[in-house]
Structure formats: structure tokens, C-alpha cells
Amino acid sequence: TFSSPIDGDMLNATNDGILTEGSLRIPVRIQAPAGSRIKVNGIAARFVDGFFLADIPLKDYKNVITAVEENTGLQQQITVYWLKNFTGKYRLSLDDNIWFLKDLSVNSGKYKSIFENPYLGLLKEVHDTYGTKIHINIFYQTDGFNLSQLTTAFKNEWKENAGWLRLSFHALQEMPDRPYLNAGYEEVKRDCAKVQHEIRRFAGEELMSPVTTLHWGEARVEGSRALRDAGYTTQVGYFNVDNDLSPVSYYLDVDQRRHLSKRAIWRDNKEGITFVRISQVINMFPLEQIVPMLEEVKKDPRRSEFIELMIHEQYFYPHYEAYQPDFRQKVLTAVKWAADNGYE
């Protein structure tokens, strides 16, 4: 069996191997009985400290690794990926979004730009200051409003800002909690299609993305398949395990969550879905803890490969019961930390 890497691992030159002659040379560790004769992609493995080790080159994005026991002909095979442009990047995503879209609808006759909305105005400030790419996961409806009511008058402006701004399906609405925990394929497909149809109508195809965070990040495999088939081949979550926190880990089992909790990214090859781990949920921490918490992430070379920052829309508004008056400062603090630490 493969001890490392494992099937679906997404590897890079920063932490996983050495760049040589256009390939990434990585160590492969195999578990097999002493006395076995193991070759990995044709390279003889040596027995060291209870494992068989071989250094092999990865030449493509997708790479098949085959281990063969020559005495018996038994073999195991995994597929791993070489990510050439993954490390040193960050992204800001925002969940539970609908109120800013309702405001755009209410003020469609008044606003000359979508960025007259204070929430979008803040996001543009973040982008203009730091070059941040921003991703907004949206509901279909809230009290007294749904996306079908949103004007198309700003469609060109949405498109003009598609280079840094994306919109994705989050859920039908905020409540109930964990809406897709037991949902089947058709329910997720239906709700997702409603949101995607409206994004294309009021903002354009240019605002679509292959990435989303499902509301509460919990689903059966059928739900994640529905997202995948709608184009969301990358799904973002917390992947909590071995603690009392909400898993926010879709359908992944304990071993998969445990593996992902120590990484920034992993791909389920069986389902064709890539999972990305959120580095910090900004609204969960007091302002003074944001930088120290990110510094803790930075200490882990695997978790700090890619920084995924996330915050929820509702904390922006004074009328919300858990309003955070330092919302703007929190976002700018987290993004500034990423920029100051060399993330792009």
C-alpha cells in the first residue's frame, strides 16, 4: 500500500519534491513485507526503516504511480497531481450572501454603479488596495426578495469586474441550518440551477466559477455530485475532525477529513471533486486574534501553501443581531497579512 503520497494528493515543489529537468522528483513510500521486490514506475525501491522508498519524476498535471511486487506480480496504483502554480496564493470568499443583492434591487433606480452598495464598495476597496480576487457565494432568496427580482441594468458592470469577482451557488436560503445534510441529488441540482440561472441573467457567464462553498458544507455524496455536475468541481470547507466543531466536510469520512485537515487541498479521484480547506473564518475571531491565528497557520508548511480567507455577509450589517462593527477592519487586516507575507 502507498503510505505517501496517497491517491488524490496534489503536490508541489515547495513541500513535496525537487524540480529537475522539467519534472518534479518526489519520494514515494510503500508499505510491504520485508523481502519484497518493489518497483515504482519501473524504479527499484530500497528498504529503509520498514518502508520501501523510491524517488520518481512527475511530468504532468495528472500522474499515475504504479507499485509492483515483482515476486508475485501484485500491484497498486494511485493518481496524484503536480500543481505548478498553487503555492503562495490566497483568496477571499464570502458566504451567506443575499442582502447586498436585495439592496441593489431596492436601489436599482438610484445607484449608478453596483459599488454604491456599501458592501460591494468595501470589496472593491479590498481589491483596489491589494489586488485581491474575491468570491461571493449567494442564496437564492431571503425575506421579501429573490434573485429573479434583481435588475439586469448592471450586467455590463458585473462583466467588467469579472477579472477579480465571482458569484457561486451557496443554498436556496439561510434557514434551515445544514439544509443539504440529507438532501438527494435532485434537490441540490434544483436549487443550484435556480441560482446559476439568475447569475447568468443579471451578471453574465463571466461571473461563473468552478468553485463553491455549500451552505454549512455538509452533504451526502449525491449532493456533492450534483454540485460537480453543475460545474463546481472544487468544493471548499473546514474539514474539522478529532474535535467538537462542525465538520463542514461534505461527505468525506474520518480518515479523509483527517488527511485534509493537515493539508490545503486534496482530490477525491473516485468522484472527480477537489476539496480546498479554509484557512481562517474571519468573523469567528476578535480583531486582535486574526494575525496571531494566521501566523499559526503560516508555521505549518502544508496548511500555509494556499490561504483561503472567508467571512459571512450578515456580520456587516448593524441590524443583524451579531453585527461586528469592525467587519471592514477585520477583512482588511486578514488580506493585508496575506499581502505582507508574500501571498498573491
Side-chain angles (χ1 to χ4, degrees):
T1 58
F2 284 86
S3 178
S4 67
I6 70 166
D7 191 56
D9 276 349
M10 309 195 88
L11 311 172
N12 61 74
T14 304
N15 291 313
D16 298 298
I18 299 171
L19 289 174
T20 55
E21 299 176 352
S23 64
L24 178 66
R25 185 166 290 276
I26 65 163
V28 175
R29 189 166 70 165
I30 305 289
Q31 207 165 11
S36 299
R37 294 174 59 221
I38 306 291
K39 282 191 173 180
V40 183
N41 284 10
I43 297 171
R46 59 197 187 278
F47 191 67
V48 180
D49 296 332
F51 291 91
F52 288 87
L53 302 177
D55 293 331
I56 68 161
L58 306 182
K59 298 182 178 180
D60 303 303
Y61 164 66
K62 183 177 181 180
N63 304 270
V64 176
I65 304 177
T66 304
V68 178
E69 205 291 306
E70 294 196 298
N71 294 321
T72 62
L74 291 173
Q75 68 176 42
Q76 294 281 358
Q77 194 173 79
I78 62 172
T79 299
V80 301
Y81 302 84
W82 175 15
L83 301 186
K84 298 181 181 180
N85 301 300
F86 179 70
T87 58
K89 304 295 195 299
Y90 79 98
R91 186 182 77 137
L92 173 65
S93 66
L94 303 104
D95 278 4
D96 293 2
N97 292 273
I98 189 67
W99 289 345
F100 84 94
L101 294 167
K102 182 178 181 180
D103 179 73
L104 285 179
S105 181
V106 170
N107 291 286
S108 59
K110 173 185 173 184
Y111 291 163
K112 299 294 187 287
S113 164
I114 58 174
F115 299 112
E116 290 183 53
N117 168 266
Y119 181 74
L120 279 178
L122 167 60
L123 300 185
K124 191 170 190 303
E125 177 189 356
V126 172
H127 168 71
D128 289 347
T129 304
Y130 297 104
T132 312
K133 302 294 178 71
I134 296 176
H135 193 118
I136 304 176
N137 299 303
I138 64 177
F139 295 133
Y140 177 75
Q141 61 193 19
T142 188
D143 292 342
F145 172 75
N146 68 59
L147 295 182
S148 71
Q149 298 168 248
L150 189 54
T151 179
T152 60
F154 301 116
K155 192 168 186 175
N156 286 339
E157 188 176 23
W158 282 111
K159 291 182 178 183
E160 288 166 5
N161 289 278
W164 63 273
L165 194 59
R166 290 287 188 274
L167 302 173
S168 287
F169 166 72
H170 193 48
L172 183 68
Q173 58 195 21
E174 182 174 10
M175 302 301 288
D177 292 341
R178 299 175 176 83
Y180 303 111
L181 181 61
N182 297 305
Y185 182 97
E186 291 301 325
E187 181 180 349
V188 177
K189 176 183 176 181
R190 179 197 66 215
D191 290 355
C192 184
K194 288 170 72 95
V195 171
Q196 289 185 316
H197 172 77
E198 297 302 334
I199 292 172
R200 291 184 172 103
R201 181 188 64 81
F202 74 76
E205 184 69 33
E206 293 87 343
L207 274 291
M208 300 293 285
S209 168
V211 183
T212 196
T213 305
L214 190 67
H215 192 32
W216 283 91
E218 296 189 34
R220 293 160 52 185
V221 66
E222 293 85 358
S224 276
R225 286 171 183 162
L227 293 176
R228 175 201 66 197
D229 293 349
Y232 297 123
T233 52
T234 297
Q235 299 170 22
V236 183
Y238 301 175
F239 309 101
N240 290 321
V241 68
D242 301 322
N243 56 40
D244 296 326
L245 301 173
S246 296
V248 193
S249 55
Y250 301 85
Y251 60 86
L252 299 192
D253 63 30
V254 168
D255 288 341
Q256 291 169 325
R257 283 156 51 196
R258 193 168 285 139
H259 185 65
L260 233 170
S261 71
K262 300 171 183 174
R263 306 177 71 83
I265 188 169
W266 176 76
R267 182 173 176 82
D268 181 349
N269 281 327
K270 180 181 176 183
E271 297 298 334
I273 300 169
T274 299
F275 293 99
V276 172
R277 186 172 188 263
I278 292 170
S279 306
Q280 184 181 84
V281 183
I282 299 169
N283 55 263
M284 289 179 63
F285 302 99
L287 177 61
E288 63 273 13
Q289 288 185 18
I290 287 174
V291 167
M293 292 294 293
L294 287 169
E295 288 292 336
E296 283 300 307
V297 173
K298 184 183 176 183
K299 290 177 183 177
D300 187 330
R302 179 64 67 192
R303 289 177 56 205
S304 61
E305 292 173 342
F306 181 92
I307 297 295
E308 175 79 23
L309 302 169
M310 192 269 277
I311 194 167
H312 295 79
E313 181 197 16
Q314 55 264 51
Y315 296 96
F316 179 78
Y317 300 95
H319 69 264
Y320 182 59
E321 59 184 2
Y323 167 57
Q324 296 185 2
D326 53 2
F327 184 103
R328 174 181 176 276
Q329 196 172 356
K330 283 185 173 184
V331 171
L332 289 170
T333 296
V335 169
K336 182 179 185 299
W337 178 92
D340 288 348
N341 281 272
Y343 288 92
E344 180 184 358

